[in-house]
Amino acid sequence: MVLYRILLRYVPMITFPIAFVAGIIGYNVERTISNVETPSIPSILEEKLKRKDDQKISYSEPPVLERNLSPPLKKDY
């Protein structure tokens, strides 16, 4: 009965360090066995510049705000 109470009291203090060490060992073993590297993901800025280069829009049309102007707002050049 006394041994049972001692085990109930001290098992969490013994179990955590054992589990911690087992986790560290398992993590390192798995890291050395599996030689998988995560591919690098291009940054948002790189993707934006790539899309900008791919589009290469030519602006031969007038800007949107100057397309459908009412007659009083039109500039006479």
Side-chain angles (χ1 to χ4, degrees):
M1 188 71 166
V2 175
L3 182 62
Y4 182 71
R5 284 189 178 178
I6 292 172
L7 284 176
L8 283 178
R9 183 173 179 150
Y10 292 109
V11 163
M13 291 179 238
I14 295 170
T15 307
F16 179 72
I18 292 172
F20 188 76
V21 170
I24 290 174
I25 292 171
Y27 173 78
N28 288 322
V29 167
E30 185 176 342
R31 192 176 68 177
T32 56
I33 289 175
S34 65
N35 195 9
V36 177
E37 292 184 15
T38 306
S40 63
I41 299 172
S43 69
I44 294 173
L45 182 62
E46 290 174 352
E47 289 180 4
K48 183 178 178 181
L49 291 173
K50 183 179 177 185
R51 281 194 308 264
K52 210 177 218 184
D53 289 342
D54 289 345
Q55 290 177 355
K56 295 289 183 185
I57 299 173
S58 62
Y59 291 104
S60 59
E61 298 180 7
V64 175
L65 296 176
E66 294 179 5
R67 283 187 202 162
N68 297 321
L69 287 176
S70 63
L73 295 176
K74 287 186 180 179
K75 296 178 183 177
D76 294 326
Y77 288 101

